[in-house]
Amino acid sequence: MRSLIRTHATEFSLLAVIVVISTVLSFATANFFSLGNAFDLLNISAVNIIFAVGLLVVLIAGGIDISFAVAASVVQYGTAIALGWIGGGGWISGLLIAGSLGALLGCFNAFLIHRFRIISIVATISTFNIYFGLLMFFTRGVSIYDLPDWLTDRVILFEREMPDGTWIEITLPVLVMIVCVIATWTLITRTTTGRQLYAFGDNPEGARRFGINIGAMQFIAFGWLGLMAGIGGLIQAHYAQEVVPNALYGRELDVLAAVVLGGARLGGGKGTVLGCVLGVLLISITQNGLNLMGVSPFAFKMIIGAIILIAITLSNTRIERLLPFVGQKGTGR
């Protein structure tokens, strides 16, 4: 048991915190502890989880990217225009276009980082401003409402009427999120590429000497995040039933906080999909509870900043120092 806790300390800690916060919020608000609210949280969190698993791969590889949310906005517009050119398309063509555009933008970040030896955070701050500036310049901030019917029609996977007459439902974004989570988990835990990403993030020089292709690792990591950003952007357009140029602006901070809180180390070489998902859910639960309590959204931004600070502090502190009993050896017979 102690070995399991030590191995998955972050995940156990997040689960415990989620239970405590949920319990407190269930007493503080009348509507929090309900199946309908839980399903709403899952539907709302789907896009952030898609973004988060993509960002997780970059963090594992020792990089950081803050341009993915703006890139997703660019992909939304690019996909909407491309769909108009091909006469509307469908979900398959939409996902292919969005995923390809997103991967292309992610690979552009990797190109800058690898070719010109630019620190990843500096490169992505630059592309963040480039992408957003170009988007606002060419669109003039005008939203797109004329989207294909297949993109705006709600796809309900499960629904049920509750005794009080309300309906609970699981929608398409949840299914896409599950596919992205499984695909990312498979990439980082069940492939040689995943093991190389961990090795590269943990010790870049050692990985280079071992023969790991550094350029390939960077293109795979940032390309994967771009792919997830593109898919997430299309799903956001489906959920909102419109394309708004600044709808995803600022989302990168929430996602980064969630992934770091989930145990991903900014220095690279560490992170799990489960921890990443739990981190997003904890952020979403906190925000949902504060909204139901009528707390100002500016207070939530302060909480996000505190979460990032605490998470980074804890990531640099051995779990045994925080929970001494975990590190004790068994004394049983």
Side-chain angles (χ1 to χ4, degrees):
M1 182 61 180
R2 288 172 179 167
S3 175
L4 182 63
I5 294 176
R6 186 185 298 111
T7 304
H8 301 284
T10 300
E11 290 84 352
F12 276 105
S13 300
L14 285 174
L15 280 173
V17 172
I18 288 174
V19 169
V20 170
I21 290 180
S22 299
T23 302
V24 172
L25 290 174
S26 66
F27 287 104
T29 63
N31 299 324
F32 178 81
F33 197 70
S34 66
L35 194 58
N37 189 54
F39 276 42
D40 287 343
L41 271 172
L42 191 58
N43 289 319
I44 292 171
S45 301
V47 171
N48 274 7
I49 292 176
I50 294 172
F51 287 158
V53 293
L55 181 59
L56 172 66
V57 177
V58 169
L59 291 179
I60 286 174
I64 188 169
D65 188 337
I66 63 168
S67 69
F68 62 88
V70 173
S73 296
V74 174
V75 168
Q76 285 184 335
Y77 264 87
T79 303
I81 293 171
L83 290 173
W85 289 344
I86 64 175
W91 273 110
I92 294 178
S93 59
L95 288 170
L96 285 174
I97 293 171
S100 299
L101 288 176
L104 184 63
L105 294 176
C107 287
F108 178 65
N109 284 335
F111 170 76
L112 294 176
I113 293 166
H114 180 69
R115 179 65 178 84
F116 300 105
R117 301 294 188 267
I118 303 175
I119 299 174
S120 60
I121 190 171
V122 175
T124 57
I125 286 175
S126 300
T127 54
F128 172 93
N129 287 283
I130 291 172
Y131 296 160
F132 190 68
L134 288 173
L135 178 64
M136 297 303 291
F137 177 78
F138 284 106
T139 67
R140 298 183 180 180
V142 177
S143 301
I144 299 178
Y145 302 100
D146 184 18
L147 297 172
D149 291 339
W150 61 265
L151 184 57
T152 57
D153 289 342
R154 288 174 59 80
V155 180
I156 300 175
L157 306 177
F158 169 82
E159 63 179 353
R160 179 179 178 183
E161 186 176 8
M162 303 303 290
D164 60 359
T166 60
W167 286 83
I168 60 173
E169 58 187 28
I170 294 293
T171 56
L172 180 64
V174 176
L175 175 61
V176 177
M177 175 268 289
I178 291 173
V179 172
C180 291
V181 166
I182 294 174
T184 303
W185 177 82
T186 302
L187 171 68
I188 65 176
T189 65
R190 292 294 183 269
T191 67
T192 301
T193 299
R195 291 189 288 272
Q196 291 177 340
L197 286 169
Y198 276 104
F200 171 60
D202 187 54
N203 186 351
E205 184 58 33
R208 184 181 293 106
R209 292 179 179 179
F210 193 69
I212 294 177
N213 189 321
I214 304 304
M217 294 298 99
Q218 291 173 330
F219 274 91
I220 290 172
F222 284 91
W224 187 265
L225 173 54
L227 174 65
M228 294 296 107
I231 294 173
L234 185 66
I235 295 302
Q236 174 64 24
H238 164 70
Y239 184 82
Q241 300 182 337
E242 61 183 3
V243 174
V244 181
N246 60 350
L248 296 172
Y249 185 90
R251 187 77 67 94
E252 61 281 339
L253 180 60
D254 295 351
V255 174
L256 176 61
V259 179
V260 175
L261 183 63
R265 188 172 58 195
L266 293 179
K270 182 181 178 182
T272 65
V273 169
L274 177 58
C276 174
V277 172
L278 290 175
V280 174
L281 292 178
L282 177 55
I283 297 291
S284 296
I285 288 171
T286 303
Q287 184 175 23
N288 176 253
L290 292 176
N291 287 338
L292 291 175
M293 293 171 63
V295 178
S296 168
F298 296 107
F300 177 69
K301 289 299 182 182
M302 291 188 291
I303 292 173
I304 289 293
I307 287 174
I308 294 176
L309 180 61
I310 294 171
I312 293 174
T313 301
L314 294 180
S315 69
N316 292 323
T317 305
R318 289 177 59 83
I319 189 64
E320 291 83 354
R321 293 177 59 186
L322 301 173
L323 304 173
F325 69 89
V326 174
Q328 294 175 356
K329 295 183 178 179
T331 56
R333 290 169 290 183

